[in-house]
Amino acid sequence: MCGIVGFTGREQAAPILLECLKKLEYRGYDSAGIAVRDSSLPVVIEKTTGKLKALSDRTHGGKALKGMSGIGHTRWATHGAPSVQNAHPHVSGGVRSTVTGVHNGIIENYAELKQKLTDNGYEFYSETDTEVLIKLVDYYYRKYRIGPIDAINRTMVRVKGSYAVALMFDDYPEEIYAARNDSPLVIGTTQDSSFLASDVSAILSRTRSFYYLGNLQAARLKKGKVEFFNLNGDRISIRKKTVDWETDSAEKHGYEHFMLKEIHEQPDVIRRMLDRYIEDEGICICDDQLDESFFQDLKQIIIVACGSAWHAGVAAQYMTEAVTDVPVRVELASEFRYRSMYACKECLFIVISQSGETADSLAALRKAKSLGIRTLAIVNVNGSSIANEADHVILTLAGPEISVATTKAYSAQLIALYLLVIQMAFIRGNLDAVMYSQMIGELKELPDKISSILSDKEKYQRLATVFSSRQDMFFIGRNMDYAICLEGSLKMKEISYIHSEAYAAGELKHGTISLIEDGTVVVGVITCPHIADKTLSNMIECKSRGARLITVTDLEDKGIESVCDYMIKIPSVNGLFMASLAVVPLQLLSYYTSLSRGLDVDKPRNLAKSVTVE
Ligand code: F6R
């Protein structure tokens, strides 16, 4: 998704803007641009299509552009093709260009607003909704001869949709203005500089003090000083937050890609989670309001998320239904937000999100709240919209995740869910004290077991070379193994571009098996002992139609080895926690497959790290 940055201070802005935009590259983009301003001179704008390097080369790393305040943007095209014309920053233009701006989000009523502005003499040079937004600010600013904050507020009242916007007004040199509704925006300050960005990682190397602008709020950034306003134009205060993420945790540390680094961070992330949420051998994950009586009375859980976070939810569903008597529904956020459903009062709505900004997940959370359901967010980014709006929050402590394909955040989500389910089962009397302690003990073994899988990476490199030229892959399993397949298959397709699907193994015969032909790769995950034979026989059915079989298993003596072409042996663990182990070989397999196909592992085509538009 688009990324925005802004800076005003006592250094040259352009190199800083480029540095910050570089940190937002992972969000995905197809063009980029910056605008800088030297107080006495007009705004200077540079834009390019393609990678940021092109923009950097063109401006000699930003040194060619003079000015100590500026804004920047990486664009992921929504309205209008990727082109220099459509790239941001956009300007109000006309006789005197008063406003320059960058925007992340979607203005839903842009066509109607464009017409209104056209009727008032504005001309448009791009196909973007952003140009409409900037010109609308300009329109109010000129028509009512009001200050920037009032013009922004009038615009916010008029536009529908999501936006995080950074603006420069010609009449207010050295100041940057910002506003947001539903798209992420964070503002940071140091003694003599102010920054803004779409997320913390972009400016983490510059400051640790952040303000999260709320919906329909605006900000004025001066050098080292920031003021906040509500929709009436009244000054408001926003609490400063300090982020404790390591400054260098958004660096590669010698790994070729962020994805590989993040895969290797998983043992540490899990240890951190367990250290934080287990005290004196008991789980402390709930707060004062999400207490024992709430869990005792609980009648239903609804888990809502998108993509991999949804897969973590599917794993949690199998687990919860195995150890508690609470029914669980797992819904895709994009479906949940528009469907009608009954939810009882004694229901817990759980939204899972790494970024905390996914538009569909946020909308689903708001819907659950409007239905009067108690909400819990399992989220990685503290201060994100989802973290701010949910009734309760469990932070996943994975640190910044840069690779578009999630690995460590997914693993951390699983841990949060395990802890929650174990605690709930204990409170409800579904688990006794011995089983409770035993499970906590087993969780603590996970990091070392994952490390042992990670130490054998040559195996995955070899396998990836064998299979990287294939067109199709299927991932099959039953029960928890099916939940694992969902994630394994998504990892494979999103970064290797090999067509891949996950199927509940028993479903194959109901249609999919007709796709199996000579050389099709079928990855079977077989870790649930009671149904291992069944999945294995589904794999044999595929083999007899020409499939090449890879199996991920912890089981001995099931005759798996003699059937499969390649076997990936993983350590055993309580089956409820198996997703944490079995997903690791699948992550590595995807990584090395993408690598051997020569693809951009960390930034796969067409994808964005945080999907802040619908
Ligand atoms: C896949 C992936 C996505 C995200 C999904 C939800 O590797 O990362 O499927 O899981 O876009 O994002 P969050 O968790 O930020 O809500």
Side-chain angles (χ1 to χ4, degrees):
M1 294 290 112
C2 303
I4 66 171
V5 296
F7 168 79
T8 181
R10 303 202 188 282
E11 291 172 67
Q12 290 301 315
I16 294 176
L17 295 171
L18 287 171
E19 168 200 308
C20 297
L21 285 177
K22 182 104 194 98
K23 307 251 172 65
L24 293 180
E25 269 194 309
Y26 74 93
R27 294 167 69 89
Y29 69 103
D30 38 52
S31 54
I34 49 178
V36 295
R37 175 86 196 270
D38 201 4
S39 50
S40 53
L41 299 170
V43 171
V44 187
I45 297 177
E46 279 293 344
K47 314 194 238 188
T48 55
T49 51
K51 295 286 171 198
L52 261 180
K53 185 164 180 323
L55 185 63
S56 179
D57 288 350
R58 211 180 145 114
T59 59
H60 306 293
K63 290 192 206 87
L65 306 179
K66 298 286 170 234
M68 296 200 197
S69 53
I71 53 180
H73 190 263
T74 45
R75 174 169 187 257
W76 190 82
T78 53
H79 292 73
S83 66
V84 171
Q85 197 78 333
N86 288 331
H88 302 207
H90 285 289
V91 292
S92 55
V95 190
R96 219 177 108 237
S97 184
T98 46
V99 189
T100 307
V102 292
H103 159 230
N104 166 30
I106 286 186
I107 305 302
E108 287 162 11
N109 57 341
Y110 84 102
E112 168 209 330
L113 295 171
K114 191 170 184 173
Q115 189 55 54
K116 170 190 163 76
L117 290 165
T118 308
D119 294 346
N120 280 280
Y122 282 83
E123 286 174 10
F124 289 85
Y125 57 84
S126 78
E127 301 158 274
T128 64
D129 53 348
T130 304
E131 191 189 347
V132 177
L133 180 70
I134 306 296
K135 289 187 168 164
L136 191 64
V137 176
D138 179 75
Y139 169 75
Y140 288 126
Y141 182 71
R142 287 166 185 255
K143 178 171 178 188
Y144 297 107
R145 295 173 187 278
I146 47 181
I149 293 293
D150 289 333
I152 290 169
N153 279 344
R154 277 183 186 264
T155 306
M156 285 207 276
V157 170
R158 194 69 174 76
V159 297
K160 294 194 185 108
S162 62
Y163 47 86
V165 62
L167 302 167
M168 296 199 293
F169 287 75
D170 277 18
D171 301 334
Y172 295 82
E174 306 190 347
E175 293 181 6
I176 310 282
Y177 290 81
R180 83 173 274 254
N181 185 46
D182 281 351
S183 292
L185 182 72
V186 59
I187 292 170
T189 49
T190 60
Q191 211 175 355
D192 54 10
S193 310
S194 297
F195 303 82
L196 64 81
S198 293
D199 73 37
V200 165
S201 62
I203 48 179
L204 195 60
S205 61
R206 297 269 168 180
T207 178
R208 293 302 187 86
S209 301
F210 296 103
Y211 300 94
Y212 291 91
L213 199 62
N215 276 343
L216 300 177
Q217 292 177 350
R220 171 166 43 223
L221 282 70
K222 297 182 179 173
K223 298 179 191 304
K225 188 176 170 211
V226 54
E227 296 157 314
F228 303 102
F229 303 86
N230 64 16
L231 207 48
N232 294 326
D234 302 326
R235 286 268 179 90
I236 52 168
S237 62
I238 294 183
R239 205 149 50 95
K240 193 188 272 190
K241 291 201 173 165
T242 307
V243 169
D244 58 4
W245 283 354
E246 293 299 321
T247 319
D248 62 354
S249 52
E251 308 294 333
K252 280 192 206 146
H253 286 300
Y255 285 96
E256 200 178 337
H257 295 97
F258 280 110
M259 182 176 178
L260 191 60
K261 174 185 167 239
E262 287 160 5
I263 289 173
H264 279 82
E265 280 174 349
Q266 292 177 113
D268 282 345
V269 168
I270 294 176
R271 274 189 204 102
R272 198 182 307 146
M273 291 281 290
L274 299 178
D275 282 353
R276 168 75 76 92
Y277 294 121
I278 297 176
E279 269 173 34
D280 301 328
E281 300 310 305
I283 296 169
C284 303
I285 203 153
C286 308
D287 55 37
D288 290 348
Q289 278 92 45
L290 206 59
D291 55 10
E292 295 209 353
S293 68
F294 177 77
F295 282 116
Q296 268 151 4
D297 297 339
L298 192 62
K299 296 223 163 35
Q300 189 194 13
I301 292 177
I302 301 173
I303 301 179
V304 171
C306 300
S308 296
W310 181 77
H311 299 157
V314 175
Q317 181 183 37
Y318 283 111
M319 175 179 184
T320 313
E321 296 192 341
V323 294
T324 76
D325 51 353
V326 184
V328 183
R329 266 180 86 152
V330 189
E331 297 287 339
L332 293 164
S334 53
E335 286 296 308
F336 176 84
R337 63 182 291 188
Y338 293 119
R339 77 192 290 167
S340 321
M341 58 169 289
Y342 169 77
C344 61
K345 249 181 58 222
E346 301 85 359
C347 169
L348 178 64
F349 171 94
I350 303 177
V351 56
I352 310 170
S353 175
Q354 186 284 126
S355 60
E357 300 292 351
T358 302
D360 286 322
S361 304
L362 181 59
L365 168 66
R366 288 180 182 160
K367 175 174 173 172
K369 290 190 82 169
S370 74
L371 294 172
I373 310 173
R374 190 84 77 92
T375 60
L376 165 69
I378 294 179
V379 69
N380 196 39
V381 180
N382 197 4
S384 59
S385 302
I386 290 178
N388 283 341
E389 293 189 28
D391 299 321
H392 310 275
V393 177
I394 299 174
L395 289 175
T396 45
L397 315 179
E401 192 178 59
I402 305 297
S403 177
V404 164
T406 182
T407 52
K408 62 174 179 171
Y410 165 82
S411 286
Q413 288 161 354
L414 287 176
I415 300 296
L417 290 159
Y418 299 157
L419 293 170
L420 184 70
V421 175
I422 296 171
Q423 189 63 12
M424 180 172 71
F426 184 53
I427 291 170
R428 292 172 71 89
N430 301 126
L431 288 180
D432 62 23
V434 176
M435 286 152 82
Y436 179 73
S437 310
Q438 197 175 315
M439 282 193 172
I440 291 177
E442 285 166 326
L443 281 182
K444 290 183 176 168
E445 290 169 12
L446 284 175
D448 286 346
K449 290 184 175 175
I450 293 176
S451 295
S452 76
I453 299 173
L454 292 173
S455 64
D456 198 8
K457 65 174 189 201
E458 288 74 22
K459 180 193 293 173
Y460 307 101
Q461 280 169 315
R462 276 198 307 276
L463 261 181
T465 328
V466 176
F467 291 112
S468 61
S469 56
R470 302 300 155 120
Q471 302 290 319
D472 298 292
M473 278 198 183
F474 292 88
F475 287 72
I476 63 169
R478 291 165 184 256
N479 202 284
M480 188 61 86
D481 292 337
Y482 171 54
I484 298 163
C485 286
L486 287 169
E487 179 56 9
S489 170
L490 178 62
K491 282 288 88 77
M492 182 57 78
K493 76 180 109 187
E494 69 178 324
I495 60 168
S496 76
Y497 313 154
I498 294 176
H499 164 245
S500 156
E501 292 185 45
Y503 268 89
E507 274 295 292
L508 276 183
K509 287 213 256 307
H510 299 286
T512 314
I513 200 160
S514 67
L515 293 172
I516 306 289
E517 54 187 24
D518 235 15
T520 306
V521 180
V522 175
V523 181
V525 178
I526 307 185
T527 71
C528 303
H530 64 295
I531 40 175
D533 293 345
K534 297 194 186 294
T535 305
L536 190 60
S537 81
N538 296 132
M539 292 186 74
I540 296 170
E541 287 157 9
C542 294
K543 188 170 185 163
S544 53
R545 285 157 182 84
R548 305 291 303 278
L549 303 184
I550 303 177
T551 307
V552 177
T553 187
D554 64 322
L555 302 175
E556 307 281 353
D557 302 331
K558 288 278 179 189
I560 298 172
E561 195 154 10
S562 58
V563 171
C564 291
D565 298 292
Y566 299 91
M567 185 148 131
I568 299 174
K569 198 77 198 323
I570 54 171
S572 285
V573 72
N574 184 329
L576 301 171
F577 311 142
M578 190 43 98
S580 294
L581 296 189
V583 79
V584 179
L586 303 181
Q587 294 168 343
L588 288 168
L589 204 55
S590 311
Y591 172 78
Y592 286 113
T593 304
S594 174
L595 204 62
S596 62
R597 286 166 73 95
L599 300 173
D600 191 347
V601 178
D602 284 334
K603 296 190 281 286
R605 67 183 178 206
N606 305 339
L607 289 177
K609 179 67 180 166
S610 87
V611 184
T612 51
V613 293
E614 196 177 349

